[in-house]
Amino acid sequence: MLNSFYLAWQYIRFYKLRSTILIACITLITFLPLSLQLLLNKSEDVLFQRASETPLLLGAKSSPLDLVLNSLYFDDETPTLISLNAADIIWDSEMASAIPLYIRFKARKTPIVGTTLDYFSYRKLELSSGRLLNLLGETVIGANVAKRLNLKVGDTLLSSPETVFDLAGIYPLKMKVVGILQPAYTIDDEAVLVDIKTTWIIEGLVHGHEDVTQIKDQSVILSSDAENVSANAKLMHYNEITEDNIDSFHIHGDTSQYPLTAIIVIPNDEKSGTLLRGRFINHEQYQLVKPITVIDGLMESVFRIKHIIDGVVFLVGIATLLAIFLVFSLSLRLREKEFATVFKMGGNRLTTAYLMSTEIIIIGFISLVACFLLLMLITHYSTEIVRLLIIQ
Amino acid sequence: MININGLKFNYSDFVQQYNGFQLAIDELIIDANEKVAIVGPSGSGKTTLLNLLSGIYVPQTGSIEIAGTHISQLSDKQRRAFRINHIGFIFQDFALIDFLTVQDNIIHPYRISKALKLTKDVVERIQVLAELMGISDKLNRYPQQLSQGEKQRVAICRALLPGPSLLLADEATGNLDPDNKQKILELIFNSADTFNATLITVTHDHELLPHFDRVIDFKTFVSSTKAVVQKENGKVSGQKGNFHAQ
C-alpha cells in the first residue's frame, strides 16, 4: 500500500502541470456549490437575524427592499427621503417609539449612520472604550472600523463628499472619535455612528461660520441693515466643531422638514404594531414595512437563482468529471508500456489498477483539502462577502 | 539449470493475430552460468521463448524446469513471485519509468511485488551496483537526463538487484551505438559472472555471437526442425536441444 502511494505520488509530482490542473478542476467543482450554499446560508442568517430584530420600518413610499437594505444593512442605495415629522406621527400615535435614521454619507468608504442614543440601547451596542455621543461632530465607531482605519478615541475622521465634483458645497466634516464599540458581530461593527444633527451638518443644513456682525473684512459683506447681514461665499465655514465655535452652529428653516432615510418603529406590543401597520396601508407618503417579510421575499428570489446556478454547476460538474475520466483513460493508454514492464518484472496485473486508484485517491484528497481550506477562508470572510455580494 | 521437455505453445489462447504460430521444443538443456545467444528472424519465437522461460506464458504441453522448479506447474501468483525473485529482465528499450529517479527505477521491482522485501541491505546494494555500472553519481537523475548507454546500465542494475539466477536480455544492445554495445555486453557478461547467473540473450547482432558459450539459431532450426548448437569461437559442439517453430 505504501509503495503504491509512493509511486503514485512520484507520478503526480513529476507531472506537476497535469496534476495541478486536475486538482484545480476537482477543487473548483466541489468548492463552487459548497461555497455558494455556505454563503447563502450565511446571508440567510445575517439578513434574517437583523430583520427579525427590527420589528417595523417607516420610510417613503418606494422600494421596500431599498428601504430595508439601507436601514438594516447600510446599503449604498439611498431610499427616497422622508422628513423628521414622520417620527412625530409615530410618537403621537402613542403606540410605538421611533428611532430616526439618516444613512446617506460616508467617511473613508464607511457608512455614516445618523441616529439618536436610543439606537445604541436598542441594538445593545456596548462601548469598549470612550463614551457615547454628547456633542455635535462627535462619532462612535464600530469595532471593525476602528481596526481597519486604525482609529482610537481622540482621533478624527473626515466625512467624504457625496461626489468628487460636489458643486453644492457640502464641506467634509472633521468628526472626533469619542467612543469605540465592542464587536457586535453585526453590520454595526462596520458603521460610523453620529447624532442625526451631525449628518445634517455634513449635508450643510446645520452649519457654523464666522459671526458676520464681527467680521472686519468688509469684502465678505454683501449687504447690511439693522436686522440682517448678508455675506458672500467668501465667508469662512467651519469644518470642525470645537468648543470655541460650537455656539456658531445653527439651523436654518423648519427642522420638522429635515431629511431622514427611515425610522425604526418599535411598537409597544403586537396589537399596537398591527394597528400601526393598518394605519399606513394606504398612506400616500409613507410605508410601514415588516423587514422580515421583505427579507423573506428577497431570499426566495436568491434561492430561485441558486437553483438555476445549482443546475449549471451540476452540468459543468458532469462535464468536468467526463474530462477527468478522459484524462485518466488517456493516461492509462500512455502508460501501457510502463504497466507491461511492471507485469514482465513480476508485478500483479492489478498493480496497474492499484497505482491508478491511488493516484486518483491522492488527487481527490488534495482537492478536498484545498476545497476545505477555501471553504474555511470563505467562512472566515463570509460576513464581508455576504455584505459585498448580496447586500451591496 | 534450465530443462525444457516436450514444450508446445501457441498464441491462440492469447492473441488472435498470432493464430497459427506454434513453438515446439522437444528438449533444451541450458547449464548453470552458461551464456546463450538466441538468433533468428523476426517472428521465429525468440521472445516467445523468453516469455515462456519467465513464466509470462504457460505452454499448452510440456514442462519448463528452472533451477529445480517446474514453473509451468506453478499458479499465476507463484510464477510472478518466482519471476521477480529469480529472473532479471533487460529490455531493448530499457523500459525505465520516466517519472522515477534512477535510484527509484533500480528499486522498482521491490515496490511492485510483495515477494521482495525492501530492506536497508537492498538500498546499500544499489550503491554497490551503481558503482559497478559507473552510474553512482546519477542516482538522483531522471531517465530523460541520461544517455542511451547510461539508461541501459540502469536497466541492468534493476535486473540484477534482486540477485537473479537467470538473466533474460531481449535485444539489450539493440538501441546502442557500436562502442556502447561492446561495453554494455561486457557489463552484462561480468554481472552474470559476478552474480553466478545464467544468461540468455536474444540478439540480431551477429558480431556479438562469438562472445557467447552457445548460439541457438532459430532460422536453421526452422528449416531442419533440429536445434543447432554452436560453441564459442564458432566450433560446433553438437546438439543439446531439439525444437521447432511453425
Side-chain angles (χ1 to χ4, degrees):
Chain A
M1 184 59 110
L2 275 177
N3 285 325
S4 294
F5 268 99
Y6 180 83
L7 293 173
W9 176 243
Q10 293 305 319
Y11 185 82
I12 289 167
R13 238 170 55 120
F14 189 78
Y15 295 105
K16 287 186 189 76
L17 183 66
R18 170 192 172 277
S19 306
T20 310
I21 291 171
L22 275 174
I23 289 167
C25 286
I26 299 172
T27 303
L28 278 179
I29 214 64
T30 324
F31 168 73
L32 279 176
L34 290 176
S35 61
L36 189 66
Q37 188 61 51
L38 194 142
L39 284 176
L40 283 177
N41 288 346
K42 181 71 186 175
S43 61
E44 202 177 5
D45 288 350
V46 169
L47 292 171
F48 273 115
Q49 190 200 345
R50 187 87 168 165
S52 63
E53 287 168 0
T54 313
L56 294 169
L57 265 180
L58 184 74
K61 213 153 191 180
S62 59
S63 160
L65 188 61
D66 283 351
L67 177 69
V68 171
L69 290 183
N70 176 267
S71 309
L72 269 57
Y73 314 104
F74 313 148
D75 177 32
D76 291 344
E77 198 68 42
T78 310
T80 309
L81 301 178
I82 57 171
S83 52
L84 185 62
N85 67 4
D88 293 336
I89 298 173
I90 300 297
W91 284 115
D92 292 347
S93 73
E94 293 181 351
M95 285 191 280
S97 4
I99 302 173
L101 293 173
Y102 194 30
I103 306 164
R104 176 178 165 184
F105 304 107
K106 287 188 177 272
R108 291 170 71 181
K109 296 183 181 173
T110 308
I112 297 172
V113 178
T115 186
T116 59
L117 289 174
D118 291 340
Y119 185 86
F120 291 87
S121 50
Y122 182 67
R123 292 283 188 219
K124 298 184 180 68
L125 301 176
E126 301 282 340
L127 286 165
S128 67
S129 62
R131 58 170 173 80
L132 286 178
L133 308 165
N134 269 352
L135 300 169
L136 290 177
E138 289 180 344
T139 176
V140 170
I141 57 175
N144 289 354
V145 179
K147 204 171 162 186
R148 198 176 64 245
L149 302 181
N150 195 23
L151 291 173
K152 53 187 184 305
V153 173
D155 289 347
T156 55
L157 182 64
L158 210 59
S159 69
S160 317
E162 271 187 304
T163 60
V164 178
F165 305 103
D166 195 355
L167 299 175
I170 295 175
Y171 294 100
L173 180 70
K174 196 186 265 186
M175 298 173 289
K176 189 178 175 190
V177 178
V178 294
I180 294 169
L181 295 173
Q182 283 178 12
Y185 305 104
T186 65
I187 202 70
D188 291 316
D189 291 342
E190 302 286 345
V192 170
L193 295 145
V194 297
D195 186 84
I196 194 100
K197 292 187 198 74
T198 303
T199 52
W200 292 334
I201 293 173
I202 294 169
E203 196 174 353
L205 296 172
V206 177
H207 59 222
H209 49 72
E210 291 176 288
D211 185 351
V212 286
T213 58
Q214 303 295 320
I215 286 174
K216 288 172 185 164
D217 180 5
Q218 289 304 305
S219 66
V220 176
I221 306 300
L222 280 175
S223 62
S224 169
D225 56 38
E227 289 179 2
N228 283 315
V229 179
S230 302
N232 61 22
K234 206 176 168 186
L235 181 72
M236 196 187 84
H237 285 251
Y238 299 119
N239 70 343
E240 184 179 6
I241 301 163
T242 62
E243 282 180 14
D244 297 334
N245 68 18
I246 192 162
D247 293 336
S248 75
F249 279 81
H250 53 276
I251 292 170
H252 288 278
D254 178 8
T255 52
S256 68
Q257 295 306 310
Y258 272 31
L260 299 176
T261 46
I263 296 167
I264 296 174
V265 178
I266 307 149
N268 300 340
D269 49 44
E270 202 173 323
K271 186 183 168 190
S272 305
T274 312
L275 285 171
L276 265 176
R277 288 183 70 202
R279 283 189 190 181
F280 283 94
I281 279 178
N282 291 318
H283 202 282
E284 282 179 8
Q285 273 181 285
Y286 305 117
Q287 60 176 336
L288 189 63
V289 298
K290 218 174 170 180
I292 195 90
T293 315
V294 175
I295 293 302
D296 211 23
L298 171 70
M299 289 316 289
E300 257 178 45
S301 307
V302 169
F303 276 103
R304 260 202 300 276
I305 295 166
K306 191 206 169 255
H307 289 318
I308 296 168
I309 297 172
D310 277 348
V312 173
V313 169
F314 179 72
L315 290 176
V316 173
I318 289 177
T320 310
L321 287 177
L322 286 174
I324 290 167
F325 175 75
L326 192 69
V327 168
F328 278 107
S329 308
L330 287 172
S331 170
L332 192 65
R333 290 190 66 180
L334 287 170
R335 295 174 72 181
E336 263 175 3
K337 224 176 90 182
E338 172 200 330
F339 295 134
T341 305
V342 165
F343 178 67
K344 269 196 164 183
M345 286 194 300
N348 192 332
R349 282 208 191 274
L350 284 175
T351 308
T352 311
Y354 284 144
L355 287 177
M356 292 291 278
S357 314
T358 313
E359 196 189 318
I360 293 168
I361 288 169
I362 293 175
I363 285 180
F365 179 74
I366 296 172
S367 307
L368 288 181
V369 170
C371 177
F372 178 74
L373 291 176
L374 283 174
L375 285 175
M376 294 273 284
L377 198 72
I378 287 281
T379 310
H380 190 259
Y381 291 105
S382 57
T383 310
E384 286 82 356
I385 296 170
V386 164
R387 184 170 154 70
L388 199 72
L389 295 181
I390 297 184
I391 297 170
Q392 289 186 334
Chain B
M1 169 69 190
I2 298 171
N3 197 343
I4 299 174
N5 265 305
L7 179 144
K8 273 189 183 161
F9 173 79
N10 65 60
Y11 280 104
S12 58
D13 295 348
F14 299 91
V15 191
Q16 198 64 36
Q17 71 183 93
Y18 293 119
N19 223 348
F21 173 90
Q22 185 174 310
L23 180 70
I25 300 173
D26 294 337
E27 188 185 37
L28 175 64
I29 299 163
I30 296 171
D31 295 331
N33 304 334
E34 202 177 353
K35 295 177 184 68
V36 177
I38 299 174
V39 293
S42 300
S44 57
K46 304 183 297 293
T47 302
T48 305
L49 178 61
L50 294 191
N51 287 336
L52 283 163
L53 285 171
S54 59
I56 292 171
Y57 298 151
V58 181
Q60 277 82 10
T61 56
S63 69
I64 301 171
E65 186 190 331
I66 299 173
T69 305
H70 285 272
I71 59 161
S72 42
Q73 290 171 5
L74 299 177
S75 68
D76 183 55
K77 191 179 172 184
Q78 287 168 328
R79 281 202 313 277
R80 276 189 281 112
F82 181 84
R83 185 153 74 237
I84 207 154
N85 273 300
H86 299 283
I87 299 172
F89 260 105
I90 304 168
F91 305 94
Q92 179 180 8
D93 60 356
F94 325 123
L96 298 179
I97 314 293
D98 53 4
F99 60 87
L100 295 178
T101 60
V102 167
Q103 172 149 334
D104 280 335
N105 261 291
I106 296 172
I107 228 166
H108 200 43
Y110 286 81
R111 295 200 192 279
I112 56 166
S113 171
K114 287 176 184 163
L116 294 175
K117 291 274 170 279
L118 184 58
T119 60
K120 209 176 162 188
D121 289 348
V122 174
V123 179
E124 281 169 6
R125 213 160 61 233
I126 292 173
Q127 196 59 43
V128 175
L129 272 172
E131 269 170 28
L132 198 72
M133 298 291 157
I135 51 164
S136 57
D137 57 336
K138 296 182 170 63
L139 288 175
N140 292 320
R141 293 200 186 170
Y142 286 93
Q144 67 202 34
Q145 298 169 309
L146 304 177
S147 68
Q148 300 289 86
E150 286 167 342
K151 282 180 189 172
Q152 196 57 295
R153 285 162 203 256
V154 176
I156 295 168
C157 280
R158 181 180 61 188
L160 291 174
L161 189 64
S165 53
L166 176 61
L167 268 177
L168 299 176
D170 194 354
E171 297 278 358
T173 54
N175 273 347
L176 303 176
D177 57 74
D179 191 34
N180 259 318
K181 219 176 254 184
Q182 208 63 39
K183 284 180 186 168
I184 293 294
L185 192 71
E186 215 168 285
L187 273 174
I188 295 175
F189 272 54
N190 290 340
S191 306
D193 287 337
T194 310
F195 289 86
N196 289 323
T198 305
L199 173 68
I200 300 177
T201 303
V202 165
T203 182
H204 280 114
D205 198 334
H206 287 255
E207 282 177 22
L208 304 175
L209 297 182
H211 299 283
F212 289 88
D213 297 332
R214 211 169 10 143
V215 177
I216 299 172
D217 188 343
F218 269 45
K219 187 184 177 185
T220 317
F221 166 73
V222 168
S223 59
S224 67
T225 69
K226 296 278 183 187
V228 175
V229 183
Q230 293 175 318
K231 270 295 253 185
E232 197 181 359
N233 303 325
K235 289 179 196 165
V236 177
S237 68
Q239 290 176 323
K240 266 194 177 178
N242 194 0
F243 48 83
H244 58 271
Q246 290 168 342

